[in-house]
Amino acid sequence: MGFISKSSTTSVLVSALQLVLKGGIYVPQQVLDDAIHPQPPRPTIQDLADIGLTPRQIQVLGLMIEGMPNKLICRELGISDGTAKTHISTILRLLGVKNRTQAVFALSQMGIRLPRRPPKGGA
């Protein structure tokens, strides 16, 4: 049991696997540090516009949350790759996170649910 980040070094990966195989639970150092020095609670946000996201950025965020890569986000919204990257960078900055996984977690903590996209072809 445990979590190993994709950015972990080979030695961390090997140590974590050895620990798990011996019946232990691997917890990354950063998680332990966060437990000892927790971040202050985030303010309650009722709407994504409250943190400064534009309607288009909210659309991009919704597609990010669905797991779409940049190329498909661009195709879906009819925007360039540079525009998508700019929106994504702004979204991550405004949510105070570094990656898409953290963005999902941050939204969950805020209790924000994005509206579901209607399936293609109507209905």
Side-chain angles (χ1 to χ4, degrees):
M1 288 175 79
F3 170 81
I4 302 171
S5 170
K6 289 191 288 186
S7 62
S8 296
T9 64
T10 303
S11 63
V12 168
L13 176 64
V14 170
S15 296
L17 288 172
Q18 288 172 340
L19 176 64
V20 170
L21 289 172
K22 292 177 184 175
I25 298 174
Y26 174 75
V27 180
Q29 186 62 46
Q30 182 179 356
V31 172
L32 296 172
D33 291 344
D34 290 346
I36 294 168
H37 306 289
Q39 297 295 317
R42 295 173 188 243
T44 303
I45 295 171
Q46 300 300 318
D47 190 306
L48 290 169
D50 292 346
I51 61 170
L53 290 179
T54 66
R56 184 57 127 186
Q57 290 165 341
I58 293 170
Q59 286 179 314
V60 171
L61 177 59
L63 298 175
M64 285 171 51
I65 299 304
E66 289 180 23
M68 282 194 180
N70 290 6
K71 186 180 267 188
L72 290 180
I73 292 172
C74 293
R75 199 173 296 149
E76 181 75 23
L77 299 178
I79 59 178
S80 72
D81 185 54
T83 299
K85 287 179 181 178
T86 298
H87 284 320
I88 292 167
S89 293
T90 301
I91 290 164
L92 297 178
R93 181 177 48 77
L94 290 173
L95 289 174
V97 298
K98 294 181 182 174
N99 59 50
R100 293 173 186 230
T101 302
Q102 291 175 346
V104 171
F105 186 70
L107 290 175
S108 171
Q109 284 188 314
M110 292 178 208
I112 293 177
R113 294 193 179 267
L114 295 170
R116 292 200 75 40
R117 227 171 17 116
K120 285 197 174 200

